């Protein structure tokens, strides 16, 4: 019980509760059922991508191409929807084609990182630039709205279960499913082992290249699903809509307690990081704070949270080293 109360996740829960209470005084509309689920719906795409980024960061990698991949899948899926019939089969095909495109683009990153051994930041910066350039060339920045989509997709995007958007349920299923993969599957344990100590895991017989390709491929898979969520939320395709969004994804994961250098991270922590980021942004909007100052406030809080986490982590490592020396 003591270890649970002292965990990083509990400190984030405490911040979320404190921030929520404060914002409820600023705006009575904050702690309403509609607003809370609007926050979850509005940040579902961020959450889906952050879950995938968690696995990448645990292994010591980074993927700054995630927003570009999601946008690419959005564009291709949007074009695909315009030629599909107004039938339930269209939704099924969309959930097959979009993740498949994402997996292919993500696996490309994984192959370059693992087989050619190019640093992840270099690979994903390169693919991000290439994908963004190709998207803008092919679309010319053209905005595609829902009038071109089958009616059944629009109905799916508006579908609710017990008053909660289907997009929120997609996020929840992915978060729980990824938690299960990390905790109970062989590949999940290998991801954690590689993140904990790369050299030791390789000596233990873990295929490092396979793990790398898996995490980037899985990131691509979730980017494909996030693209569907984005299309459902905006009911449109905007080639510039997610520009710079990768920074928010990484921020959410780091806010959730993941170590940007690898070896530490959890799905629960990431979920709380997404929630914290969403609450901050929503609260600042309700407080009618200018959008420019919103960015300053959010950025400052992120820096403080990450700095505090790193200081606490270093203190715990120093304490452990001191105990080992005295022993």
């Amino acid at each position: 019980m003591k270890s649970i109360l002292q965990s990083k996740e509990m400190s984030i829960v405490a911040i979320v509760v404190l921030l929520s209470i404060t914002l409820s005084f600023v705006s009575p509309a904050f702690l309403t059922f509609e607003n809370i689920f609007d926050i979850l719906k509005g940040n579902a795409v961020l959450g889906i991508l952050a879950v995938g980024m968690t696995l990448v960061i645990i292994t010591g990698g980074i993927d700054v191409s995630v927003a570009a991949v999601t946008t690419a899948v959005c564009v291709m899926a949007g074009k695909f929807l315009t030629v599909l019939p107004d039938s339930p089969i269209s939704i099924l095909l969309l959930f097959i084609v979009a993740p498949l495109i994402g997996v292919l683009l993500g696996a490309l990153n994984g192959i370059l990182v693992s087989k050619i051994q190019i640093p992840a930041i270099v690979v994903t910066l390169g693919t991000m630039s290439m994908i963004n350039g190709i998207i803008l060339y092919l679309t010319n920045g053209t905005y595609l709205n829902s009038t071109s989509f089958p009616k059944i997709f629009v109905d799916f995007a508006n579908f609710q279960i017990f008053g909660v958007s289907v997009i929120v349920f997609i996020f929840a299923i992915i978060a729980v499913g990824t938690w299960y993969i990390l905790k109970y599957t062989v590949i999940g344990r290998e991801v954690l082992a590689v993140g904990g100590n790369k050299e030791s895991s390789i000596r233990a017989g873990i295929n490092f290249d396979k793990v790398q390709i898996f995490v980037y491929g899985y990131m691509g898979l979730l980017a494909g699903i996030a693209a569907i969520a984005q299309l459902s939320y905006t009911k449109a395709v905007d080639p510039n809509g997610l520009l710079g969004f990768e920074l928010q994804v990484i921020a959410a994961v780091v806010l959730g307690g993941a170590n940007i250098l690898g070896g530490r991270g959890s799905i629960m922590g990431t979920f709380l990081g997404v929630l914290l980021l969403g609450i901050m942004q929503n609260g600042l909007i309700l407080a009618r704070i200018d959008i420019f100052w919103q960015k300053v406030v959010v950025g400052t809080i992120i820096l403080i949270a990450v700095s505090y986490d790193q200081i606490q982590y270093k203190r715990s490592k120093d304490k452990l080293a001191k105990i080992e020396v005295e022993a």
Side-chain angles (χ1 to χ4, degrees):
M1 179 63 72
K2 185 178 179 181
S3 62
I4 293 174
L5 292 174
Q6 292 178 342
S7 66
K8 173 65 177 177
E9 286 81 1
M10 285 306 299
S11 65
I12 303 171
V13 169
I15 295 170
V16 167
V17 171
L18 183 62
L19 192 59
S20 298
I21 293 171
T22 304
L23 290 172
S24 67
F25 285 107
V26 174
S27 173
F30 178 77
L31 277 181
T32 60
F33 176 87
E34 293 80 7
N35 188 57
I36 296 300
F37 281 101
D38 276 346
I39 292 173
L40 291 174
K41 180 181 178 182
N43 289 278
V45 173
L46 172 65
I48 292 168
L49 295 175
V51 166
M53 187 67 74
T54 303
L55 271 63
V56 175
I57 287 178
I58 286 174
T59 61
I62 196 78
D63 187 352
V64 295
S65 70
V66 62
V69 171
T70 305
T71 302
V73 179
C74 275
V75 170
M76 287 186 270
K79 295 290 186 182
F80 186 57
L81 278 170
T82 60
V83 299
L84 288 176
D86 191 14
S87 164
I89 194 69
S90 299
I91 303 298
L92 178 62
L93 287 172
L94 183 64
F95 270 92
I96 293 172
V97 173
L100 181 60
I101 296 170
V103 167
L104 292 174
L105 292 173
L108 174 63
N109 283 334
I111 290 169
L112 292 172
V113 170
S114 62
K115 298 296 184 182
I116 308 180
Q117 298 184 352
I118 305 172
I121 185 69
V122 176
V123 169
T124 55
L125 273 172
T127 53
M128 176 187 72
S129 182
M130 288 169 58
I131 292 169
N132 280 335
I134 292 170
I135 290 169
L136 291 176
Y137 173 76
L138 293 176
T139 64
N140 199 27
T142 306
Y143 189 89
L144 184 67
N145 60 40
S146 61
T147 56
S148 306
F149 300 157
K151 181 179 179 298
I152 192 162
F153 176 76
V154 178
D155 292 340
F156 167 79
N158 294 328
F159 184 66
Q160 294 185 341
I161 304 172
F162 303 116
V164 180
S165 172
V166 67
I167 303 172
V168 176
F169 282 98
I170 292 172
F171 171 33
I173 290 168
I174 286 170
V176 173
T178 307
W179 169 82
Y180 181 87
I181 289 171
L182 271 180
K183 192 171 180 66
Y184 294 109
T185 67
V186 174
I187 188 64
R189 289 192 290 270
E190 288 178 345
V191 168
L192 293 171
V194 166
N197 192 310
K198 175 184 172 183
E199 288 73 21
S200 296
S201 65
I202 293 173
R203 291 194 196 101
I206 293 175
N207 188 326
F208 180 73
D209 290 353
K210 181 189 75 173
V211 172
Q212 291 289 91
I213 294 172
F214 168 77
V215 295
Y216 286 97
Y218 191 70
M219 180 75 262
L221 172 74
L222 296 193
I225 298 174
I228 298 174
Q230 176 73 0
L231 285 172
S232 302
Y233 183 67
T234 61
K235 298 179 183 64
V237 177
D238 182 2
N240 298 304
L242 294 176
L243 207 61
F245 195 64
E246 62 278 350
L247 299 179
Q248 289 189 52
V249 175
I250 295 167
V253 178
V254 175
L255 269 178
N259 185 350
I260 196 69
L261 299 176
R264 184 159 49 95
S266 70
I267 301 303
M268 177 56 74
T270 293
F271 172 78
L272 292 169
V274 171
L275 186 61
L276 178 57
L277 205 57
I279 287 173
M280 283 192 294
Q281 292 172 337
N282 180 262
L284 292 170
I285 290 170
L286 290 176
R288 298 182 180 181
I289 294 174
D290 188 89
I291 189 167
F292 302 110
W293 286 111
Q294 288 179 31
K295 292 179 182 294
V296 173
V297 171
V298 171
T300 302
I301 291 173
I302 289 171
L303 282 175
I304 292 171
V306 174
S307 298
Y308 175 79
D309 180 52
Q310 285 298 104
I311 290 168
Q312 290 294 98
Y313 181 68
K314 287 180 179 179
R315 282 179 178 175
S316 65
K317 295 288 283 185
D318 292 341
K319 185 178 179 181
L320 183 61
K322 185 178 179 181
I323 291 171
E324 289 176 349
V325 170
E326 288 177 350

